[in-house]
Amino acid sequence: MSEVQIHAIARQMLEMHAASAVAQAAQKAQQCEASGEAEEAREWRHIADAMRMMRGPHQS
């Protein structure tokens, strides 16, 4: 999956799921890994990382 696709999916998930988007991507990564789909799990982790970058640093 290309970086453009990763960021497009990350943006869509943030729009649809807001605060729970990163957790959902992490959960999908775990499910893929449990099913033996290591490459797809890696992509979901990449999507979660992209969402974290888009949200920026935590504000106190």
Side-chain angles (χ1 to χ4, degrees), residues 1-24:
M1 187 177 304
S2 73
E3 282 297 313
V4 173
Q5 290 172 312
I6 294 285
H7 284 270
I9 292 168
R11 196 172 306 111
Q12 288 173 346
M13 286 192 71
L14 282 172
E15 289 172 4
M16 290 173 44
H17 304 289
S20 67
V22 174
Q24 287 186 8

Side-chain angles (χ1 to χ4, degrees), residues 1 3 6-7 9-10 13 21-54:
M1 187 177 304
E3 282 297 313
I6 294 285
H7 284 270
I9 292 168
M13 286 192 71
V22 174
Q24 287 186 8
Q27 186 176 41
K28 288 183 185 227
Q30 287 178 336
Q31 290 171 347
C32 290
E33 203 167 66
S35 299
E37 300 169 4
E39 181 64 25
E40 191 169 339
R42 187 186 64 77
E43 289 175 350
W44 279 112
R45 286 193 178 88
H46 195 149
I47 291 167
D49 289 342
M51 286 188 278
R52 286 185 198 101
M53 279 190 350
M54 289 176 185

